[in-house]
Amino acid sequence: MDKNHWLLWGGILIIISVILFGCQGTQKPSADTVVPTRLTMGYIPNIQFAPVYVAMEKGYFSQAGFEVELEYGNEADAVALVGAGEQTFAIASGEQVLLARAQGLPVTYVAAWYQEFPVGVVSMSEQQIKVPENISGERIGIPGLYGASYIGFKALLNAGGLRESDVDLLSIGFNQVESLVTEQVNAAVIYLANEPVILRSQGYEVNVIRVADYLQLVANGLVTNEEAIEKEPERVRAFIGALLNGIEDTIENPDEAYAISEKYVENLAEANESVQKEVLAESIELWRTERPGFSEPAGWINMQQVLLDMGLLEESIDLNEVFTNELIP
Protein backbone atom coordinates (compact mmCIF):
# COMPACT_ATOMS: atom_id res chain seq x y z
CA MET A 1 0.00 0.00 0.00
CA ASP A 2 1.51 3.37 -1.03
CA LYS A 3 1.92 6.42 1.11
CA ASN A 4 -1.29 8.09 -0.12
CA HIS A 5 -3.36 5.03 0.78
CA TRP A 6 -1.86 4.99 4.30
CA LEU A 7 -2.76 8.67 4.70
CA LEU A 8 -6.32 8.00 3.49
CA TRP A 9 -6.87 5.08 5.89
CA GLY A 10 -5.27 7.00 8.73
CA GLY A 11 -7.67 9.89 8.19
CA ILE A 12 -10.66 7.54 8.16
CA LEU A 13 -9.55 5.89 11.40
CA ILE A 14 -9.16 9.27 13.08
CA ILE A 15 -12.67 10.28 12.01
CA ILE A 16 -14.11 6.97 13.27
CA SER A 17 -12.29 7.38 16.58
CA VAL A 18 -13.67 10.88 17.05
CA ILE A 19 -17.23 9.69 16.32
CA LEU A 20 -16.96 6.75 18.71
CA PHE A 21 -15.48 8.92 21.46
CA GLY A 22 -18.27 11.44 21.00
CA CYS A 23 -20.92 8.72 21.24
CA GLN A 24 -19.40 7.34 24.43
CA GLY A 25 -19.45 10.80 25.94
CA THR A 26 -23.24 11.09 25.56
CA GLN A 27 -24.10 7.82 27.29
CA LYS A 28 -23.59 9.07 30.83
CA PRO A 29 -24.11 12.58 32.24
CA SER A 30 -20.88 14.31 33.11
CA ALA A 31 -20.36 15.77 36.57
CA ASP A 32 -21.44 19.25 35.46
CA THR A 33 -24.80 17.96 34.16
CA VAL A 34 -25.92 16.62 37.56
CA VAL A 35 -28.69 18.91 38.76
CA PRO A 36 -29.42 19.49 42.47
CA THR A 37 -33.13 18.72 42.83
CA ARG A 38 -35.57 18.80 45.73
CA LEU A 39 -38.16 16.04 45.94
CA THR A 40 -40.93 16.82 48.39
CA MET A 41 -43.09 14.06 49.82
CA GLY A 42 -45.98 14.31 52.26
CA TYR A 43 -46.01 13.01 55.82
CA ILE A 44 -42.64 12.31 57.51
CA PRO A 45 -39.67 9.99 56.79
CA ASN A 46 -41.31 6.57 56.69
CA ILE A 47 -40.84 3.04 55.37
CA GLN A 48 -43.65 3.83 52.92
CA PHE A 49 -41.13 5.91 50.95
CA ALA A 50 -38.70 2.99 50.61
CA PRO A 51 -38.54 3.15 46.77
CA VAL A 52 -37.18 6.69 46.93
CA TYR A 53 -34.52 5.66 49.42
CA VAL A 54 -33.60 2.69 47.23
CA ALA A 55 -33.33 4.90 44.15
CA MET A 56 -31.03 7.25 46.05
CA GLU A 57 -28.85 4.58 47.61
CA LYS A 58 -28.44 2.60 44.37
CA GLY A 59 -27.57 5.70 42.39
CA TYR A 60 -30.58 5.65 40.08
CA PHE A 61 -31.19 9.37 40.52
CA SER A 62 -27.53 10.31 40.12
CA GLN A 63 -27.24 8.15 37.00
CA ALA A 64 -30.23 10.02 35.62
CA GLY A 65 -28.43 13.32 36.25
CA PHE A 66 -29.94 14.41 39.57
CA GLU A 67 -28.58 15.05 43.04
CA VAL A 68 -31.78 14.62 45.05
CA GLU A 69 -32.50 16.35 48.34
CA LEU A 70 -35.51 14.95 50.19
CA GLU A 71 -38.07 17.12 51.92
CA TYR A 72 -41.27 16.27 53.77
CA GLY A 73 -44.26 18.50 54.20
CA ASN A 74 -47.67 19.64 53.07
CA GLU A 75 -48.57 18.34 49.61
CA ALA A 76 -50.48 21.48 48.63
CA ASP A 77 -47.49 23.67 49.49
CA ALA A 78 -45.16 21.41 47.52
CA VAL A 79 -47.39 21.46 44.45
CA ALA A 80 -47.57 25.26 44.68
CA LEU A 81 -43.77 25.45 44.67
CA VAL A 82 -43.60 23.17 41.65
CA GLY A 83 -46.19 25.29 39.86
CA ALA A 84 -44.25 28.45 40.63
CA GLY A 85 -41.08 26.92 39.20
CA GLU A 86 -39.27 27.05 42.53
CA GLN A 87 -38.72 23.28 42.42
CA THR A 88 -39.19 20.61 39.79
CA PHE A 89 -40.68 17.53 41.46
CA ALA A 90 -43.02 16.51 44.26
CA ILE A 91 -45.04 13.43 45.13
CA ALA A 92 -48.66 14.42 45.67
CA SER A 93 -52.18 13.05 45.39
CA GLY A 94 -54.29 13.61 42.31
CA GLU A 95 -56.76 16.05 43.81
CA GLN A 96 -53.92 18.45 44.61
CA VAL A 97 -53.00 18.61 40.93
CA LEU A 98 -56.58 19.35 39.90
CA LEU A 99 -56.98 22.02 42.57
CA ALA A 100 -53.67 23.62 41.60
CA ARG A 101 -54.70 23.64 37.93
CA ALA A 102 -57.94 25.36 38.86
CA GLN A 103 -55.81 28.12 40.42
CA GLY A 104 -53.82 28.54 37.23
CA LEU A 105 -50.69 26.68 38.34
CA PRO A 106 -49.04 24.87 35.38
CA VAL A 107 -48.45 21.52 37.10
CA THR A 108 -48.72 18.10 35.50
CA TYR A 109 -48.93 14.59 36.97
CA VAL A 110 -46.39 12.49 35.07
CA ALA A 111 -46.21 9.09 36.81
CA ALA A 112 -48.38 7.15 39.25
CA TRP A 113 -46.82 6.20 42.59
CA TYR A 114 -49.71 4.21 44.08
CA GLN A 115 -51.86 2.21 41.67
CA GLU A 116 -54.87 2.27 43.98
CA PHE A 117 -56.27 5.10 46.06
CA PRO A 118 -54.69 4.39 49.47
CA VAL A 119 -57.48 5.65 51.72
CA GLY A 120 -60.11 3.68 53.62
CA VAL A 121 -62.19 3.54 56.80
CA VAL A 122 -61.16 1.19 59.62
CA SER A 123 -63.24 0.06 62.59
CA MET A 124 -63.18 -2.59 65.27
CA SER A 125 -64.86 -5.75 64.01
CA GLU A 126 -67.54 -5.67 66.73
CA GLN A 127 -68.85 -2.40 65.26
CA GLN A 128 -70.00 -4.33 62.16
CA ILE A 129 -69.05 -1.45 59.87
CA LYS A 130 -68.31 -3.40 56.70
CA VAL A 131 -69.77 -1.38 53.81
CA PRO A 132 -70.28 2.36 53.24
CA GLU A 133 -73.98 2.15 54.21
CA ASN A 134 -72.92 1.04 57.72
CA ILE A 135 -71.21 4.40 58.32
CA SER A 136 -74.55 6.15 58.77
CA GLY A 137 -75.05 7.56 62.27
CA GLU A 138 -71.52 6.67 63.44
CA ARG A 139 -68.80 8.83 65.03
CA ILE A 140 -66.09 8.97 62.39
CA GLY A 141 -62.60 10.31 63.06
CA ILE A 142 -60.69 11.99 60.23
CA PRO A 143 -57.33 13.80 60.18
CA GLY A 144 -59.07 16.93 58.91
CA LEU A 145 -61.42 18.26 56.27
CA TYR A 146 -58.75 18.39 53.58
CA GLY A 147 -56.52 16.24 51.41
CA ALA A 148 -56.84 12.68 50.13
CA SER A 149 -58.44 11.43 53.37
CA TYR A 150 -61.36 13.83 53.05
CA ILE A 151 -61.74 13.22 49.31
CA GLY A 152 -61.76 9.45 49.84
CA PHE A 153 -64.26 9.67 52.67
CA LYS A 154 -66.64 11.78 50.59
CA ALA A 155 -66.40 9.17 47.83
CA LEU A 156 -67.35 6.44 50.31
CA LEU A 157 -70.29 8.46 51.58
CA ASN A 158 -71.50 8.85 48.01
CA ALA A 159 -71.07 5.10 47.41
CA GLY A 160 -73.33 4.45 50.39
CA GLY A 161 -75.91 7.00 49.33
CA LEU A 162 -75.05 9.13 52.36
CA ARG A 163 -74.36 12.79 53.08
CA GLU A 164 -71.83 14.25 55.47
CA SER A 165 -74.72 15.23 57.74
CA ASP A 166 -75.58 11.53 58.12
CA VAL A 167 -72.44 10.97 60.25
CA ASP A 168 -70.79 12.62 63.24
CA LEU A 169 -67.47 13.62 61.65
CA LEU A 170 -64.68 14.56 64.08
CA SER A 171 -61.28 16.05 63.21
CA ILE A 172 -58.77 14.02 65.22
CA GLY A 173 -55.47 14.71 63.47
CA PHE A 174 -53.31 11.66 62.90
CA ASN A 175 -54.43 9.94 66.11
CA GLN A 176 -56.67 7.36 64.51
CA VAL A 177 -55.30 4.36 66.40
CA GLU A 178 -55.56 6.00 69.83
CA SER A 179 -59.01 7.39 69.06
CA LEU A 180 -60.31 3.94 68.08
CA VAL A 181 -58.71 2.08 70.96
CA THR A 182 -60.08 4.55 73.53
CA GLU A 183 -63.50 4.46 71.82
CA GLN A 184 -63.55 8.19 71.09
CA VAL A 185 -64.76 7.26 67.61
CA ASN A 186 -66.44 4.22 66.08
CA ALA A 187 -64.41 4.32 62.87
CA ALA A 188 -61.58 6.35 61.40
CA VAL A 189 -60.38 7.44 57.97
CA ILE A 190 -56.92 6.01 57.41
CA TYR A 191 -54.20 5.10 54.93
CA LEU A 192 -54.48 1.42 54.09
CA ALA A 193 -50.81 0.62 54.64
CA ASN A 194 -50.58 2.16 58.08
CA GLU A 195 -53.23 2.19 60.82
CA PRO A 196 -54.89 -1.20 60.06
CA VAL A 197 -51.47 -2.85 60.30
CA ILE A 198 -50.76 -1.18 63.64
CA LEU A 199 -54.16 -2.14 65.08
CA ARG A 200 -53.78 -5.78 64.05
CA SER A 201 -50.29 -5.86 65.54
CA GLN A 202 -51.84 -4.81 68.86
CA GLY A 203 -54.24 -7.74 68.75
CA TYR A 204 -57.38 -6.01 67.48
CA GLU A 205 -59.61 -7.49 64.81
CA VAL A 206 -60.66 -4.80 62.37
CA ASN A 207 -62.81 -4.22 59.30
CA VAL A 208 -61.52 -2.01 56.50
CA ILE A 209 -63.64 -0.35 53.82
CA ARG A 210 -61.37 0.51 50.89
CA VAL A 211 -62.24 3.48 48.69
CA ALA A 212 -60.68 1.68 45.71
CA ASP A 213 -63.28 -1.09 46.00
CA TYR A 214 -66.05 1.41 45.21
CA LEU A 215 -64.53 4.09 43.00
CA GLN A 216 -61.33 4.47 40.99
CA LEU A 217 -59.58 7.68 41.98
CA VAL A 218 -56.12 9.07 41.29
CA ALA A 219 -53.66 8.23 44.03
CA ASN A 220 -50.30 9.81 44.78
CA GLY A 221 -47.90 10.35 41.92
CA LEU A 222 -44.96 12.34 40.63
CA VAL A 223 -45.77 15.95 39.77
CA THR A 224 -43.70 18.41 37.75
CA ASN A 225 -44.39 21.62 35.81
CA GLU A 226 -44.99 22.46 32.18
CA GLU A 227 -41.69 24.28 31.79
CA ALA A 228 -39.71 21.18 32.74
CA ILE A 229 -41.74 19.04 30.34
CA GLU A 230 -41.38 21.48 27.45
CA LYS A 231 -37.71 22.34 27.88
CA GLU A 232 -36.20 19.11 29.24
CA PRO A 233 -38.56 16.19 28.60
CA GLU A 234 -35.71 13.66 28.57
CA ARG A 235 -34.60 14.76 32.02
CA VAL A 236 -38.14 14.36 33.32
CA ARG A 237 -38.31 10.93 31.70
CA ALA A 238 -34.98 9.99 33.31
CA PHE A 239 -36.22 11.06 36.75
CA ILE A 240 -39.39 9.00 36.31
CA GLY A 241 -37.28 6.03 35.27
CA ALA A 242 -35.13 6.33 38.38
CA LEU A 243 -38.21 6.44 40.61
CA LEU A 244 -39.81 3.44 38.90
CA ASN A 245 -36.54 1.50 39.22
CA GLY A 246 -36.68 2.15 42.96
CA ILE A 247 -40.25 0.85 43.11
CA GLU A 248 -39.38 -2.25 41.10
CA ASP A 249 -36.36 -3.04 43.27
CA THR A 250 -38.43 -2.60 46.43
CA ILE A 251 -41.11 -4.99 45.17
CA GLU A 252 -38.52 -7.59 44.15
CA ASN A 253 -36.39 -7.35 47.29
CA PRO A 254 -38.29 -5.83 50.24
CA ASP A 255 -35.73 -6.97 52.82
CA GLU A 256 -32.99 -5.07 51.02
CA ALA A 257 -35.25 -2.03 50.70
CA TYR A 258 -36.01 -2.18 54.42
CA ALA A 259 -32.31 -2.27 55.28
CA ILE A 260 -31.63 0.70 53.00
CA SER A 261 -34.50 2.65 54.57
CA GLU A 262 -32.92 2.42 58.01
CA LYS A 263 -30.40 5.01 56.84
CA TYR A 264 -33.13 7.50 55.92
CA VAL A 265 -35.86 6.87 58.53
CA GLU A 266 -34.86 7.89 62.03
CA ASN A 267 -35.40 5.17 64.65
CA LEU A 268 -36.50 2.60 62.07
CA ALA A 269 -33.75 0.29 63.29
CA GLU A 270 -35.25 0.44 66.81
CA ALA A 271 -38.88 0.13 65.66
CA ASN A 272 -40.96 -3.04 65.72
CA GLU A 273 -39.51 -4.73 62.66
CA SER A 274 -42.42 -7.09 62.02
CA VAL A 275 -44.92 -4.21 62.05
CA GLN A 276 -42.81 -1.99 59.82
CA LYS A 277 -42.19 -4.81 57.36
CA GLU A 278 -45.92 -5.43 57.23
CA VAL A 279 -46.45 -1.72 56.48
CA LEU A 280 -43.95 -2.12 53.65
CA ALA A 281 -45.72 -5.26 52.40
CA GLU A 282 -49.06 -3.42 52.31
CA SER A 283 -47.42 -0.53 50.46
CA ILE A 284 -45.98 -2.94 47.90
CA GLU A 285 -49.49 -4.11 47.06
CA LEU A 286 -50.41 -0.51 46.30
CA TRP A 287 -47.39 -0.15 43.98
CA ARG A 288 -47.69 -3.48 42.21
CA THR A 289 -48.82 -3.24 38.58
CA GLU A 290 -48.11 -4.51 35.09
CA ARG A 291 -47.81 -0.91 33.87
CA PRO A 292 -45.50 0.98 36.25
CA GLY A 293 -46.20 4.68 36.36
CA PHE A 294 -49.31 4.52 34.18
CA SER A 295 -52.18 6.76 35.25
CA GLU A 296 -55.69 5.58 34.36
CA PRO A 297 -57.80 8.29 32.65
CA ALA A 298 -60.95 6.96 34.36
CA GLY A 299 -59.46 7.83 37.74
CA TRP A 300 -59.05 11.46 36.67
CA ILE A 301 -62.61 11.67 35.39
CA ASN A 302 -63.93 10.30 38.68
CA MET A 303 -61.66 12.49 40.79
CA GLN A 304 -62.74 15.63 38.97
CA GLN A 305 -66.40 14.72 39.43
CA VAL A 306 -65.93 14.20 43.19
CA LEU A 307 -64.29 17.63 43.48
CA LEU A 308 -67.09 19.22 41.45
CA ASP A 309 -69.71 17.57 43.66
CA MET A 310 -67.92 18.83 46.76
CA GLY A 311 -67.76 22.36 45.38
CA LEU A 312 -63.97 22.37 45.48
CA LEU A 313 -63.93 22.83 41.71
CA GLU A 314 -66.26 25.35 40.11
CA GLU A 315 -65.93 24.02 36.57
CA SER A 316 -64.37 21.13 34.67
CA ILE A 317 -60.73 21.28 33.66
CA ASP A 318 -59.12 19.94 30.49
CA LEU A 319 -57.69 16.67 31.82
CA ASN A 320 -55.23 16.46 28.92
CA GLU A 321 -53.31 19.26 30.63
CA VAL A 322 -53.55 17.70 34.09
CA PHE A 323 -51.74 14.41 33.49
CA THR A 324 -49.71 12.56 30.87
CA ASN A 325 -48.43 9.03 30.38
CA GLU A 326 -46.16 10.03 27.50
CA LEU A 327 -43.04 10.49 29.62
CA ILE A 328 -43.04 7.05 31.24
CA PRO A 329 -39.86 5.28 30.06
Side-chain angles (χ1 to χ4, degrees):
M1 186 176 291
D2 60 30
K3 181 179 179 181
N4 289 334
H5 282 92
W6 278 113
L7 289 174
L8 176 61
W9 279 106
I12 292 173
L13 288 172
I14 290 172
I15 293 171
I16 292 173
S17 297
V18 170
I19 292 173
L20 289 175
F21 180 80
C23 290
Q24 290 174 349
T26 62
Q27 290 175 358
K28 186 177 181 180
S30 59
D32 59 358
T33 65
V34 176
V35 179
T37 304
R38 282 184 295 170
L39 174 62
T40 302
M41 302 175 286
Y43 200 43
I44 58 176
N46 190 275
I47 190 61
Q48 295 170 67
F49 297 124
V52 175
Y53 308 142
V54 170
M56 293 185 68
E57 196 68 14
K58 290 195 171 185
Y60 294 145
F61 286 128
S62 60
Q63 291 165 19
F66 297 93
E67 181 183 344
V68 173
E69 176 188 354
L70 298 181
E71 291 188 354
Y72 304 86
N74 183 279
E75 287 184 0
D77 292 341
V79 171
L81 290 173
V82 171
E86 295 185 25
Q87 70 181 70
T88 308
F89 297 107
I91 292 177
S93 52
E95 85 280 351
Q96 296 299 330
V97 181
L98 282 164
L99 294 174
R101 272 283 177 181
Q103 296 171 11
L105 293 174
V107 295
T108 304
Y109 185 107
V110 292
W113 167 262
Y114 288 137
Q115 294 301 313
E116 292 187 347
F117 201 69
V119 173
V121 169
V122 68
S123 60
M124 301 300 186
S125 59
E126 59 265 24
Q127 295 290 340
Q128 295 296 306
I129 301 174
K130 298 181 178 181
V131 294
E133 292 82 352
N134 298 152
I135 296 173
S136 179
E138 302 289 352
R139 293 193 316 277
I140 311 295
I142 191 169
L145 303 184
Y146 57 84
S149 296
Y150 190 38
I151 301 299
F153 182 66
K154 293 289 283 189
L156 281 180
L157 286 176
N158 187 63
L162 303 173
R163 299 178 180 178
E164 195 169 318
S165 58
D166 292 325
V167 300
D168 184 7
L169 194 59
L170 307 174
S171 294
I172 58 173
F174 293 97
N175 299 307
Q176 297 99 319
V177 171
E178 178 184 353
S179 297
L180 282 166
V181 170
T182 58
E183 300 182 356
Q184 298 176 46
V185 295
N186 304 114
V189 184
I190 47 80
Y191 271 75
L192 299 174
N194 197 3
E195 288 83 7
V197 174
I198 295 172
L199 286 165
R200 291 185 181 112
S201 74
Q202 295 178 2
Y204 297 102
E205 294 184 4
V206 299
N207 291 323
V208 179
I209 307 173
R210 294 160 39 95
V211 173
D213 290 339
Y214 295 89
L215 186 65
Q216 184 177 17
L217 295 175
V218 182
N220 304 58
L222 185 66
V223 181
T224 188
N225 53 53
E226 289 183 354
E227 183 179 7
I229 294 173
E230 292 172 3
K231 292 185 176 179
E232 296 187 299
E234 291 307 315
R235 276 198 175 274
V236 176
R237 182 176 282 110
F239 193 94
I240 295 170
L243 182 63
L244 296 183
N245 283 339
I247 292 176
E248 182 179 356
D249 281 12
T250 301
I251 292 173
E252 291 182 353
N253 196 339
D255 288 337
E256 177 191 52
Y258 188 89
I260 288 173
S261 299
E262 290 181 346
K263 175 180 176 180
Y264 296 87
V265 181
E266 186 178 4
N267 299 325
L268 180 60
E270 290 78 37
N272 186 318
E273 183 173 316
S274 63
V275 171
Q276 293 301 310
K277 284 190 172 182
E278 184 61 28
V279 169
L280 179 57
E282 292 290 334
S283 299
I284 285 174
E285 293 309 309
L286 294 171
W287 297 319
R288 197 185 299 278
T289 178
E290 294 181 357
R291 295 187 291 179
F294 187 83
S295 182
E296 290 286 354
W300 288 102
I301 295 171
N302 293 337
M303 177 66 83
Q304 177 162 253
Q305 190 58 54
V306 170
L307 295 178
L308 287 168
D309 293 343
M310 293 175 65
L312 296 177
L313 284 181
E314 295 183 357
E315 58 184 7
S316 297
I317 299 171
D318 183 359
L319 295 179
N320 291 320
E321 297 179 350
V322 174
F323 78 102
T324 179
N325 288 313
E326 295 180 2
L327 294 170
I328 299 171

